[in-house]
Amino acid sequence: MAKETSAAHKKGDDFNKNGVPKHRTTITKLDETLDNEIVYEFGGPVGVCAMMLGFPSLMYYFWVCLEYHQGKLIFPAELTLEGIKSFILHEVVNKVLVDAFPTWTAIKIYMGFILFSFTLAYVMPGPLVQGLPIPSLKGKKLTYLCNGLSSWYLTLVVAAGLHLSGLFRLTQIIDNFGSIMSVAIIWGFTMTILVQLSSSLLQTTHRMSGNLFYDFFMGFPLNPRIGHVDLKMWAEIRVPWPILFFLSVSCLLKQYETTGIVTAPAVFMVLAHFLYVNACQKGEECIPTSWDIFYEKDGFMLIFWNMAGVPFTYCYASIYLMKYQLTTGQAIVHSWPYTATLFVTLLVAYYIFDTGNSQKNRFRMEQNGSYVPRKAFPQLPWGHIKNPSYIQTSHGNLLLTSGWWGIVRKPHYTADLTMSLCWGLITGTGSFLPYFYFCFFVTVLTHRTTRDMERCEKKYGKDWERYCERVPYIFIPYVF
């Protein structure tokens, strides 16, 4: 049975200065088997086809609800075939063609940002960090240029300059929201096709099921690149979260320009989205050792959701606050105790989210020999565990049992869900849409947790049972 070990007093060539054992570089047969194992997720080919059609359709339906109905969900007057067809045509399709058609202005705004973001990813300075050994590459470690922080700061400066100079008012983002969303949807499909075609031509496909629709959804390649830019990491970190932040900023500026005031809920959403995007950029060096980069392939699921889904559905709280006020003439505000409680809850959840992710990924980086101390703002206490305890598995990997990870198995998920719930609660209870992100996230994280538990049980066997005894709770101590 594996024993829990402390890194305190561990020294020698096999340990780093923090007492953490260095990660083995040998790839085992089990690693290769698990890396090549094909398990149909999301209902297989039928399920993923439904999602590829359903995601964009749902986004347009929600857009109509926000744009024309103050966030209220609308339904056909008659639940007959003709009634449903008429509803889709008149209430959704016609409105999309009029107010969400991809205009040249929208193309310039969205694609301009995409090109700007990619250019910064290519040229800005940052530390070079190695990822984990990749089984399909015989244990090779890929190198990543982590210049997200310098790119983020420059993006903020450029955005402020454009807005203040009048060259590009940031309120144009929300003024053209529907059209920009359409451009993002089209680009999500386009980029997915381009990545899969290039992977086929370059013969870099991996873990293929043989079903075209399922493989298109999950992805053909594992680590597609243009030069030294990893497309998967760029799309995950550099595109969705900055767009989401600027959407909230655009809503706040629109509120101020229209009414002359800024409400606490609007400030709350800008703060919430700033904290999230800033956390992604300042901790980018932790991403190369994450599950998404190490294992997930780059298909429709990741590409479309990062290019279109995340920024244009997670923003509903900000847009609802603005639209409600512009339509009714009344701003959504709450009592100061309620508002203060949400601000405090957000900041506490963010602290756990930030430090939890830092603890886990820096522990991985220490094993990998790629740990790079950073001074990016804000560096929070307990983000790096000194002399961590862990369970040494017979497989060779270490299971962290210190910090937040000694309290529950998924502390970052708990914190993430808490923040997402706060995004909805700050808007009140007048619409479901601000809570869509929370509801969707519950589904996603439940799926991920189940998948992770099954994979870890296969990979670590009795050592995983020992770990579950040591850390019995998944999300909330003494509850679940």
Side-chain angles (χ1 to χ4, degrees):
M1 179 180 290
K3 296 181 179 180
E4 186 174 6
T5 305
S6 171
H9 311 303
K10 294 284 188 179
K11 296 181 179 178
D13 293 338
D14 293 333
F15 298 87
N16 73 353
K17 293 180 180 179
N18 199 28
V20 176
K22 295 177 182 178
H23 196 287
R24 58 176 177 73
T25 55
T26 327
I27 297 298
T28 68
K29 283 289 184 182
L30 178 59
D31 289 325
E32 293 180 346
T33 299
L34 292 174
D35 187 60
N36 288 299
E37 184 181 32
I38 298 169
V39 178
Y40 274 155
E41 300 180 60
F42 310 109
V46 174
V48 299
C49 285
M51 283 192 280
M52 286 189 284
L53 294 174
F55 282 158
S57 301
L58 189 64
M59 290 170 68
Y60 280 123
Y61 168 72
F62 284 158
W63 171 78
V64 169
C65 293
L66 275 172
E67 187 71 20
Y68 296 94
H69 302 279
Q70 295 80 56
K72 294 179 181 178
L73 301 183
I74 56 173
F75 304 97
E78 297 180 1
L79 293 178
T80 62
L81 181 60
E82 286 301 317
I84 294 173
K85 286 170 60 178
S86 177
F87 172 80
I88 293 173
L89 178 63
H90 297 294
E91 288 295 333
V92 181
V93 175
N94 286 350
K95 288 181 170 59
V96 168
L97 292 175
V98 173
D99 290 324
F101 194 80
T103 63
W104 280 114
T105 298
I107 292 171
K108 287 187 287 185
I109 293 173
Y110 181 82
M111 294 308 299
F113 177 79
I114 294 295
L115 292 173
F116 177 72
S117 173
F118 182 83
T119 301
L120 295 186
Y122 204 93
V123 304
M124 292 298 286
L128 294 173
V129 175
Q130 284 191 322
L132 295 175
I134 299 176
S136 60
L137 298 179
K138 307 301 180 185
K140 178 181 178 181
K141 296 180 180 181
L142 297 179
T143 301
Y144 299 82
L145 175 59
C146 297
N147 55 12
L149 192 64
S150 59
S151 300
W152 168 232
Y153 288 161
L154 181 57
T155 300
L156 289 174
V157 171
V158 171
L162 289 173
H163 180 76
L164 294 174
S165 67
L167 292 174
F168 176 75
R169 302 290 291 177
L170 293 178
T171 49
Q172 290 186 58
I173 299 173
I174 198 60
D175 289 340
N176 294 276
F177 177 81
S179 297
I180 296 174
M181 183 182 73
S182 292
V183 174
I185 288 172
I186 293 169
W187 173 242
F189 277 96
T190 303
M191 182 175 170
T192 303
I193 293 170
L194 291 175
V195 169
Q196 312 321 310
L197 284 177
S198 64
S199 177
S200 297
L201 292 173
L202 296 173
Q203 298 183 338
T204 57
T205 59
H206 176 60
R207 203 187 311 125
M208 302 292 281
S209 72
N211 184 282
L212 177 62
F213 297 107
Y214 187 77
D215 289 331
F216 182 81
F217 181 86
M218 299 300 292
F220 288 15
L222 181 62
N223 304 107
R225 293 190 167 206
I226 295 179
H228 57 261
V229 177
D230 184 274
L231 293 180
K232 188 165 59 172
M233 192 166 87
W234 166 72
E236 181 173 325
I237 301 300
R238 309 296 186 82
V239 176
W241 305 110
I243 292 178
L244 179 64
F245 169 73
F246 284 118
L247 275 166
S248 286
V249 170
S250 184
C251 289
L252 182 143
L253 291 172
K254 187 72 174 181
Q255 181 188 59
Y256 179 74
E257 290 185 1
T258 304
T259 67
I261 63 169
V262 171
T263 58
V267 173
F268 180 94
M269 291 311 305
V270 171
L271 172 64
H273 292 161
F274 173 80
L275 290 173
Y276 213 105
V277 64
N278 192 70
C280 291
Q281 311 310 317
K282 79 182 181 73
E284 188 187 31
E285 76 277 2
C286 298
I287 302 299
T289 57
S290 68
W291 174 263
D292 284 359
I293 302 301
F294 168 73
Y295 181 81
E296 297 282 18
K297 297 192 296 177
D298 201 25
F300 179 91
M301 179 179 72
L302 291 184
I303 295 173
F304 180 87
W305 201 243
N306 284 319
M307 293 293 147
V310 168
F312 294 95
T313 61
Y314 292 6
C315 62
Y316 290 154
S318 299
I319 297 178
Y320 172 70
L321 289 169
M322 185 203 69
K323 290 288 185 183
Y324 183 89
Q325 183 177 8
L326 293 180
T327 303
T328 66
Q330 295 181 335
I332 294 176
V333 292
H334 312 286
S335 66
W336 74 261
Y338 180 85
T339 303
T341 299
L342 286 181
F343 269 95
V344 171
T345 303
L346 174 73
L347 293 174
V348 170
Y350 171 77
Y351 173 77
I352 299 173
F353 170 79
D354 188 306
T355 54
N357 277 302
S358 294
Q359 289 173 359
K360 176 186 65 174
N361 288 303
R362 286 172 176 172
F363 181 68
R364 282 178 180 170
M365 293 173 73
E366 287 186 306
Q367 297 172 66
N368 194 44
S370 59
Y371 173 63
V372 180
R374 300 293 299 277
K375 301 298 182 183
F377 175 81
Q379 289 299 311
L380 302 174
W382 217 31
H384 182 209
I385 303 173
K386 301 296 183 182
N387 300 316
S389 61
Y390 53 85
I391 290 177
Q392 174 80 57
T393 67
S394 57
H395 172 272
N397 284 359
L398 310 179
L399 301 176
L400 181 63
T401 56
S402 279
W404 298 115
W405 303 87
I407 301 173
V408 291
R409 296 179 220 164
K410 299 291 184 181
H412 57 327
Y413 285 0
T414 303
D416 222 343
L417 286 171
T418 302
M419 289 191 293
S420 69
L421 181 58
C422 288
W423 296 8
L425 291 172
I426 198 66
T427 69
T429 57
S431 172
F432 161 76
L433 294 184
Y435 295 89
F436 167 76
Y437 170 43
F438 172 75
C439 295
F440 175 77
F441 218 34
V442 167
T443 305
V444 170
L445 295 186
T446 299
H447 167 76
R448 282 191 175 185
T449 299
T450 303
R451 181 189 64 179
D452 291 351
M453 299 300 175
E454 291 174 353
R455 183 179 175 85
C456 287
E457 188 175 4
K458 288 181 184 178
K459 190 172 185 176
Y460 302 124
K462 294 292 184 181
D463 295 332
W464 180 250
E465 294 179 11
R466 167 66 174 159
Y467 170 75
C468 292
E469 290 175 4
R470 169 62 181 81
V471 188
Y473 300 102
I474 300 174
F475 295 117
I476 305 173
Y478 306 106
V479 178
F480 179 67

